[in-house]
Amino acid sequence: MTICILVTGGTFDKEYDEIHGRLFFKDTHVGEMLALGRSRVDVTVRTLMMIDSLEMTDDDREVIVANCGACQEDRIVVTHGTDTMVETARALARGVPGKTIVLTGAMVPYAFGSSDGLFNLGSAVSFAQVLPAGVFIAMNGRVLPWDRARKNRETGFFDEV
Amino acid sequence: MTICILVTGGTFDKEYDEIHGRLFFKDTHVGEMLALGRSRVDVTVRTLMMIDSLEMTDDDREVIVANCGACQEDRIVVTHGTDTMVETARALARGVPGKTIVLTGAMVPYAFGSSDGLFNLGSAVSFAQVLPAGVFIAMNGRVLPWDRARKNRETGFFDEV
Amino acid sequence: MTICILVTGGTFDKEYDEIHGRLFFKDTHVGEMLALGRSRVDVTVRTLMMIDSLEMTDDDREVIVANCGACQEDRIVVTHGTDTMVETARALARGVPGKTIVLTGAMVPYAFGSSDGLFNLGSAVSFAQVLPAGVFIAMNGRVLPWDRARKNRETGFFDEV
Amino acid sequence: MTICILVTGGTFDKEYDEIHGRLFFKDTHVGEMLALGRSRVDVTVRTLMMIDSLEMTDDDREVIVANCGACQEDRIVVTHGTDTMVETARALARGVPGKTIVLTGAMVPYAFGSSDGLFNLGSAVSFAQVLPAGVFIAMNGRVLPWDRARKNRETGFFDEV
């Protein structure tokens, strides 16, 4: 079983620009994280975009939907900023039937050394292997069907609704 | 749903004794790891022992079996050294029917900063929530029924047999 | 010999606000860093302010000058943002004669795990113990008299002028 | 001014062998540490040996003395295990007059992520730039002439005698 990991950016992959003191995107850390986790899961990693999910447009979401639909794998993990993760999940639920799609992200950039990203990636890759077809949000060790998840902007956590 | 996490030691929880230059056990890092992972899974953590799995006796295994049987949760994660993880899994399969038990561990101590432990813990906690009753080994992002897992002592990975 | 460490903020002590995805200041990490470095240097640590040095006013500089002058130690380390480090050094050179004052900082926040801060702190504390009276910039393993140091905004490093 | 950094091993450079659960030596981390510290000090790094200082022989010490004497730099940092650091310092004091030689090491391997090594390296490189000719031990942020330093085996720290 191969899992397709589609990278879209988000806090997960933000880096610190030490010259300007800003956060920015360069390359994804997903490969490095899988290596750190000694992952033996068969994966294909593809970077679709590297953006903050607050800046994600409908066109960007169409790119994600198209790639989830077109890839040959039936089990997909999408790394994504948490702010609009549910919106992308909704687009995927409409546009990609019959596949198991798990969206995940992080509250702290992996590059900052104290990230929840490694924990979430282990979790998402695991849920993607065993859940039935559908679109899910895997954050904070838990998994929720996309239409029952809502980000709580005060706590940063996803609540079940 | 509450998951019971039973701690038995293993590489997962080894620390570096800077006075004597040796590895040793102190307290478990499971709580700290769940906090780092921003875990929102409802868990009960109990330390049963803190030992290297090469030194685990049949009596130790009986303690683990008894605790898995007696705890009120039906979903259990056992942190364990990898060397004899399969032996403990066998004892659990015989002694604790009807529960979902996931054993996990690490190849590198969490305290060494570059551990697979956080990835594996995210993975094990996830598998424990969705797998049916049975005893499983969750390592390297994958899950295997205990009787199909074997540690490859040359690579350190668990192979499917 | 006791060294007085005066904390003013800067990148050194920035943290990541995981709810809003911004950098901010909370408490200084200097104590934690000295513990990590197993420092046995006799120090007094005092936080004067926690600000980005781009926002430092002349009044703030007067506070730093007053504290350097008033403290009973003759050897002082000032942690400081790099952008206006030289300006504060100039104020100290005018206002605090007869003491060894070493300014240091970081290009990457200590909290991000991959910081130059620990290296710079080891360096600054060392230079402060052996240099004669004067005001110095200790960054990147080197030390420069304040009037020969200039931050290169393209590289982030301090050049000798 | 160029500083010669001579690597001999010690806790500084130990790594964790995840297959056998042992500590071992591979390559030095000094280059990586200087990069992490954004060091701009002009250095030449040479690995003389990679050994635990408890296993260092008189022949090994002769190699270190010969290299310190032969190198063209007058300012030298030697990374070294702490257990016999003072013995090597004694050999250097006898065999290499007229140079500033600073020995340093670590209590925790750099590879374990929570090391005093980066702090000590910043400190040693700094002391090496400004101290007069002589042989010194730079540990825990302090510097001691070699003949006044003694490792306290109970605390792991170097005491002044």
Side-chain angles (χ1 to χ4, degrees):
Chain A
M1 182 199 313
T2 302
I3 293 179
C4 177
I5 301 183
L6 297 177
V7 174
T8 74
T11 297
F12 213 77
D13 270 330
K14 278 189 184 162
E15 315 232 11
Y16 185 70
D17 168 0
E18 61 192 60
I19 307 296
H20 304 100
R22 291 185 305 226
L23 302 173
F24 76 117
F25 290 108
K26 206 165 50 177
D27 298 320
T28 182
H29 297 90
V30 164
E32 192 185 326
M33 293 165 78
L34 292 171
L36 183 65
R38 271 75 178 159
S39 178
R40 300 281 279 174
V41 181
D42 202 6
V43 296
T44 309
V45 180
R46 197 176 312 154
T47 299
L48 300 185
M49 58 200 75
M50 283 296 264
I51 60 176
D52 192 307
S53 79
L54 285 173
E55 293 167 14
M56 196 176 275
T57 64
D58 286 347
D59 283 354
D60 293 326
R61 290 202 167 85
E62 273 184 42
V63 169
I64 300 171
V65 169
N67 274 275
C68 285
C71 74
Q72 64 184 88
E73 295 85 4
D74 287 334
R75 297 182 176 275
I76 301 170
V77 168
V78 179
T79 69
H80 198 288
T82 56
D83 285 311
T84 68
M85 193 181 273
V86 174
E87 290 179 46
T88 300
R90 179 182 298 115
L92 288 165
R94 280 184 195 147
V96 191
K99 294 196 174 186
T100 300
I101 304 179
V102 179
L103 292 96
T104 195
M107 292 168 69
V108 181
Y110 172 70
F112 292 4
S114 59
S115 172
D116 51 333
L118 190 63
F119 182 82
N120 285 344
L121 187 61
S123 177
V125 164
S126 300
F127 282 128
Q129 292 173 69
V130 291
L131 288 176
V135 179
F136 302 90
I137 305 280
M139 286 290 294
N140 316 122
R142 300 189 307 177
V143 72
L144 291 168
W146 75 271
D147 53 357
R148 291 177 55 198
R150 189 170 53 194
K151 183 174 175 184
N152 181 325
R153 289 186 199 282
E154 301 210 356
T155 63
F157 293 114
F158 279 81
D159 294 331
E160 186 166 4
V161 291
Chain B
M1 181 200 314
T2 302
I3 294 179
C4 178
I5 302 182
L6 298 176
V7 174
T8 73
T11 297
F12 213 78
D13 271 329
K14 279 189 183 163
E15 314 234 11
Y16 184 70
D17 169 0
E18 61 192 61
I19 306 298
H20 304 99
R22 293 185 303 225
L23 301 173
F24 76 117
F25 291 107
K26 205 164 52 176
D27 298 319
T28 181
H29 296 90
V30 163
E32 190 185 327
M33 292 165 78
L34 292 171
L36 183 65
R38 271 76 179 158
S39 177
R40 299 281 280 174
V41 181
D42 202 6
V43 296
T44 309
V45 180
R46 198 175 312 153
T47 300
L48 300 185
M49 58 199 76
M50 283 296 264
I51 59 176
D52 192 309
S53 80
L54 285 173
E55 293 166 15
M56 195 176 276
T57 64
D58 287 346
D59 284 354
D60 293 325
R61 291 202 167 85
E62 273 185 41
V63 169
I64 300 171
V65 168
N67 273 275
C68 284
C71 74
Q72 64 184 90
E73 294 85 3
D74 287 335
R75 297 182 176 276
I76 301 170
V77 168
V78 179
T79 69
H80 198 288
T82 56
D83 285 310
T84 68
M85 192 181 275
V86 174
E87 289 179 48
T88 301
R90 179 182 297 115
L92 287 165
R94 281 185 195 145
V96 191
K99 294 195 175 188
T100 300
I101 304 178
V102 178
L103 293 96
T104 195
M107 292 167 69
V108 181
Y110 172 70
F112 292 3
S114 60
S115 172
D116 51 332
L118 190 63
F119 182 82
N120 285 344
L121 187 61
S123 177
V125 164
S126 301
F127 282 129
Q129 292 174 67
V130 291
L131 288 175
V135 180
F136 303 90
I137 305 280
M139 287 289 294
N140 317 123
R142 300 189 305 176
V143 71
L144 291 168
W146 75 271
D147 52 357
R148 291 177 54 198
R150 189 170 53 195
K151 184 175 175 184
N152 181 324
R153 289 185 200 283
E154 302 210 354
T155 64
F157 294 113
F158 279 81
D159 293 332
E160 186 166 3
V161 291
Chain C
M1 181 199 314
T2 301
I3 294 179
C4 179
I5 302 182
L6 297 176
V7 174
T8 74
T11 297
F12 214 77
D13 271 330
K14 278 189 183 163
E15 314 232 12
Y16 184 70
D17 169 0
E18 62 191 61
I19 306 297
H20 304 99
R22 291 185 305 226
L23 301 173
F24 75 117
F25 290 108
K26 206 165 52 178
D27 299 318
T28 182
H29 297 89
V30 164
E32 191 185 328
M33 291 164 79
L34 292 171
L36 183 65
R38 271 76 178 159
S39 177
R40 300 281 280 174
V41 181
D42 203 5
V43 295
T44 309
V45 180
R46 196 175 313 152
T47 300
L48 301 184
M49 59 199 75
M50 283 296 264
I51 60 176
D52 192 306
S53 79
L54 285 173
E55 294 167 13
M56 195 176 275
T57 64
D58 287 347
D59 284 354
D60 292 326
R61 291 203 166 84
E62 273 185 41
V63 170
I64 300 171
V65 168
N67 273 276
C68 284
C71 75
Q72 65 185 88
E73 295 85 3
D74 287 334
R75 296 181 177 276
I76 301 170
V77 168
V78 179
T79 69
H80 198 287
T82 56
D83 285 310
T84 68
M85 193 181 272
V86 174
E87 289 179 48
T88 299
R90 179 183 298 115
L92 287 165
R94 281 184 194 147
V96 191
K99 294 196 174 188
T100 300
I101 304 178
V102 179
L103 293 97
T104 195
M107 293 168 70
V108 180
Y110 172 69
F112 292 3
S114 58
S115 172
D116 51 333
L118 190 64
F119 182 82
N120 285 344
L121 187 61
S123 177
V125 164
S126 300
F127 282 129
Q129 292 174 68
V130 291
L131 288 175
V135 179
F136 302 90
I137 305 279
M139 286 290 293
N140 316 122
R142 300 189 305 177
V143 72
L144 292 168
W146 74 272
D147 53 357
R148 291 177 55 198
R150 189 170 53 194
K151 183 175 175 184
N152 181 325
R153 288 185 201 281
E154 301 209 357
T155 64
F157 294 113
F158 280 80
D159 293 332
E160 186 165 5
V161 290
Chain D
M1 181 199 315
T2 301
I3 294 179
C4 178
I5 301 182
L6 298 176
V7 174
T8 74
T11 296
F12 214 77
D13 270 331
K14 279 188 182 163
E15 315 233 11
Y16 184 70
D17 168 0
E18 61 192 60
I19 307 295
H20 304 100
R22 293 185 303 225
L23 301 173
F24 76 117
F25 290 108
K26 206 165 52 177
D27 299 319
T28 181
H29 297 90
V30 164
E32 191 186 328
M33 291 165 79
L34 292 170
L36 183 65
R38 272 77 179 158
S39 177
R40 299 282 281 174
V41 181
D42 203 5
V43 296
T44 309
V45 180
R46 198 174 312 153
T47 300
L48 301 185
M49 58 199 76
M50 283 296 265
I51 60 175
D52 192 308
S53 80
L54 285 173
E55 293 167 14
M56 195 177 275
T57 64
D58 287 347
D59 283 354
D60 293 325
R61 290 203 166 83
E62 273 185 42
V63 170
I64 300 172
V65 168
N67 274 275
C68 285
C71 74
Q72 65 184 89
E73 295 85 3
D74 287 335
R75 297 182 177 275
I76 301 170
V77 168
V78 179
T79 68
H80 198 287
T82 56
D83 285 310
T84 68
M85 193 181 274
V86 174
E87 289 179 48
T88 300
R90 179 183 298 115
L92 287 166
R94 280 185 195 145
V96 191
K99 294 195 175 189
T100 300
I101 304 178
V102 178
L103 293 96
T104 195
M107 292 167 70
V108 181
Y110 172 70
F112 291 4
S114 58
S115 173
D116 51 333
L118 190 64
F119 182 82
N120 286 343
L121 186 62
S123 178
V125 164
S126 300
F127 282 129
Q129 292 174 68
V130 290
L131 289 175
V135 179
F136 303 90
I137 305 279
M139 286 290 293
N140 316 122
R142 300 189 305 177
V143 72
L144 292 167
W146 75 271
D147 52 357
R148 292 178 54 199
R150 188 170 53 193
K151 184 176 176 184
N152 180 325
R153 288 184 201 282
E154 301 210 355
T155 64
F157 293 113
F158 279 80
D159 294 332
E160 186 165 4
V161 290

